[in-house]
Amino acid sequence: MNTNSKWHLSILVLVSVYQLNAQANVKKDEKPTPVQTQNGTNQTPEEIQKNNAELEKYYAKLKYPPGFYEGAFLISFMGGGTLAPSGTFISHEKNYDNVLQYKVVNKEVSQDYYNQGNIRNEQSGLYFKPTYTPGVASQFDFEYGWKEKIGLGFTVMQNSMNAKRQDVIPGISYYKEYVDPFPRERTIYRGNSMSFLATYHPIPRNFFDPYLAARAGVVSFTGEAHSGITHDRFVYSNQITSGIGGIVGVGAGLNIYLGRYFGIKAEVDYYREFLKSDQFSMRTLNSYQAMIGVFVNLSNVQYKLEQY
């Protein structure tokens, strides 16, 4: 190899080394091109990816499909009727009615307001059999998804019971008992309760969401009741005063989602109430309730609003 060839080879090597160093410096100084986001700020792809990851972490509980899940917040309203009421509260009032019926038929109480001209002394007094009718029940539920299948919350409920019956007229029956000429409509029980709620959802994240529910809480109530099975002449009114007690219940229901945000529901419950008032020390009231209503998933509603 001659001198000129060696010189050309040296120049070629130096040029190659210079190009490699220049490329390395360009890559080192190269910065990602900023991207304009929806809010008008410029962010690099790495920054956008980081923000998206944080949003995914923050909204993880809100992006589940329709159904129950950890973090869900359901508010529901249901209405329905009370079925097959029983317990010592009802049985005591029915015993009172039976004793009153015997006294009316045997004319041990007065019905002087009737026209007695057409009624012979040997005829029985006028008595009408009572009827007991459960009233309308309404219920609000507030439920939070504590775990994927377990919900916690509270329930506000109102239920009532009516009776159409005759009774001794208090106040004017101090010396002589007077009975209603005809049955009158009376609310014998109206209760308002607040209970702790626990639910179990065996099939979370599904349009069809069956569940089991358990409740326990307190109840305040009013209505009409008697302290004994005969009229107390010292009582001016049969109105219940200072009515309070406890309530426990179990039930099963089904949520049907019509979307991610709301749906319809149905529930059947059994309740047992332990009641006390100024008129009596302790009586129980048992009932079944069948209800239907609607619900809203507020966690998904919140997520929907935050997208705008």
Side-chain angles (χ1 to χ4, degrees):
M1 182 179 295
N2 55 29
T3 304
N4 290 335
S5 297
K6 292 181 178 179
W7 175 251
H8 288 297
L9 181 61
S10 299
I11 292 175
L12 182 61
V13 170
L14 290 174
V15 170
S16 299
V17 171
Y18 177 79
Q19 289 179 346
L20 290 174
N21 289 334
Q23 291 177 359
N25 290 334
V26 169
K27 290 184 179 180
K28 182 177 180 180
D29 297 335
E30 183 180 1
K31 294 183 180 179
T33 303
V35 177
Q36 189 173 21
T37 60
Q38 293 181 354
N39 58 12
T41 61
N42 293 328
Q43 293 182 344
T44 63
E46 288 79 5
E47 292 174 339
I48 294 176
Q49 184 177 4
K50 181 179 178 181
N51 291 337
N52 289 338
E54 292 177 354
L55 288 175
E56 287 291 336
K57 181 178 179 181
Y58 180 75
Y59 289 120
K61 298 178 181 179
L62 306 179
K63 287 190 173 182
Y64 288 144
F68 188 82
Y69 51 84
E70 181 180 351
F73 182 36
L74 307 181
I75 294 181
S76 63
F77 169 76
M78 293 186 292
T82 302
L83 310 174
S86 62
T88 57
F89 182 89
I90 299 297
S91 62
H92 183 277
E93 293 303 302
K94 290 184 176 181
N95 288 337
Y96 176 91
D97 290 335
N98 291 334
V99 172
L100 181 61
Q101 177 183 4
Y102 176 85
K103 296 172 70 174
V104 171
V105 170
N106 290 277
K107 296 184 178 179
E108 295 181 13
V109 294
S110 177
Q111 292 181 312
D112 293 343
Y113 31 71
Y114 285 120
N115 183 2
Q116 302 294 319
N118 297 325
I119 301 178
R120 297 192 300 269
N121 291 331
E122 63 270 16
Q123 289 181 323
S124 302
L126 298 179
Y127 182 80
F128 301 88
K129 289 188 175 296
T131 58
Y132 288 79
T133 306
V136 175
S138 58
Q139 180 173 301
F140 286 92
D141 283 340
F142 302 83
E143 180 184 0
Y144 176 74
W146 181 54
K147 299 292 185 181
E148 184 177 76
K149 297 183 178 181
I150 300 176
L152 300 177
F154 63 93
T155 296
V156 178
M157 184 183 68
Q158 182 182 87
N159 60 327
S160 62
M161 186 176 304
N162 302 321
K164 195 170 185 178
R165 63 179 183 174
Q166 292 168 277
D167 199 355
V168 175
I169 303 174
I172 68 171
S173 297
Y174 187 84
Y175 295 104
K176 186 176 183 179
E177 291 183 340
Y178 288 86
V179 179
D180 293 318
F182 300 101
R184 291 194 294 116
E185 188 77 27
R186 311 165 190 269
T187 299
I188 64 171
Y189 174 85
R190 183 181 300 279
N192 298 281
S193 65
M194 178 173 287
S195 306
F196 171 79
L197 169 66
T199 59
Y200 175 70
H201 300 254
I203 312 176
R205 309 183 197 179
N206 196 289
F207 279 97
F208 295 92
D209 174 29
Y211 62 90
L212 300 175
R215 296 179 175 89
V218 296
V219 57
S220 63
F221 66 99
T222 183
E224 289 190 13
H226 305 86
S227 57
I229 59 174
T230 59
H231 173 69
D232 183 356
R233 67 191 183 102
F234 297 101
V235 172
Y236 182 76
S237 172
N238 295 323
Q239 188 75 19
I240 293 175
T241 55
S242 303
I244 195 170
I247 182 172
V248 295
V250 293
L254 174 65
N255 293 330
I256 302 177
Y257 286 77
L258 303 179
R260 294 185 59 188
Y261 314 106
F262 64 93
I264 60 176
K265 68 184 303 174
E267 185 173 321
V268 176
D269 301 286
Y270 167 77
Y271 287 103
R272 182 175 178 85
E273 301 177 42
F274 303 89
L275 310 175
K276 63 179 298 184
S277 68
D278 293 339
Q279 284 69 31
F280 50 83
S281 57
M282 180 60 68
R283 292 176 189 173
T284 60
L285 179 61
N286 311 320
S287 62
Y288 294 90
Q289 292 186 358
M291 295 190 175
I292 189 169
V294 296
F295 68 90
V296 176
N297 186 344
L298 287 187
S299 57
N300 274 344
V301 171
Q302 175 192 359
Y303 170 68
K304 182 68 175 180
L305 294 176
E306 291 178 351
Q307 300 307 301
Y308 295 103

